[in-house]
């Protein structure tokens, strides 16, 4: 992940910085994930493509 940021931004963030940002993003997305999970479980049909 650090390498990707360096390649895209010419800046290498520390692992601690990335972990901090990922933790914040994860907590912000949690409510949205709960809604999506609930809607999928309540759906009568869930479509999924089989892996190739």
């Amino acid at each position: 992940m650090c390498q990707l940021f360096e390649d895209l931004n010419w800046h290498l963030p520390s692992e601690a910085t990335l972990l901090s940002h990922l933790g914040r993003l994860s907590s912000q997305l949690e409510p949205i994930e709960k809604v999506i999970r609930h809607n999928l479980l309540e759906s009568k049909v869930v479509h999924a493509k089989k892996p190739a």
Side-chain angles (χ1 to χ4, degrees):
M1 195 69 159
C2 289
Q3 186 64 48
L4 174 64
F5 274 90
E6 184 179 25
D7 291 345
L8 295 175
N9 302 308
W10 303 295
H11 174 71
L12 181 63
S14 71
E15 289 182 28
T17 299
L18 288 176
L19 288 173
S20 172
H21 288 297
L22 286 173
R24 264 191 287 155
L25 287 171
S26 175
S27 64
Q28 290 175 353
L29 289 173
E30 188 175 346
I32 296 166
E33 290 174 357
K34 286 181 181 180
V35 170
I36 293 170
R37 185 178 301 112
H38 172 78
N39 289 341
L40 285 173
L41 292 173
E42 293 298 315
S43 174
K44 291 182 181 185
V45 178
V46 175
H47 296 278
K49 185 176 179 181
K50 293 185 347 185

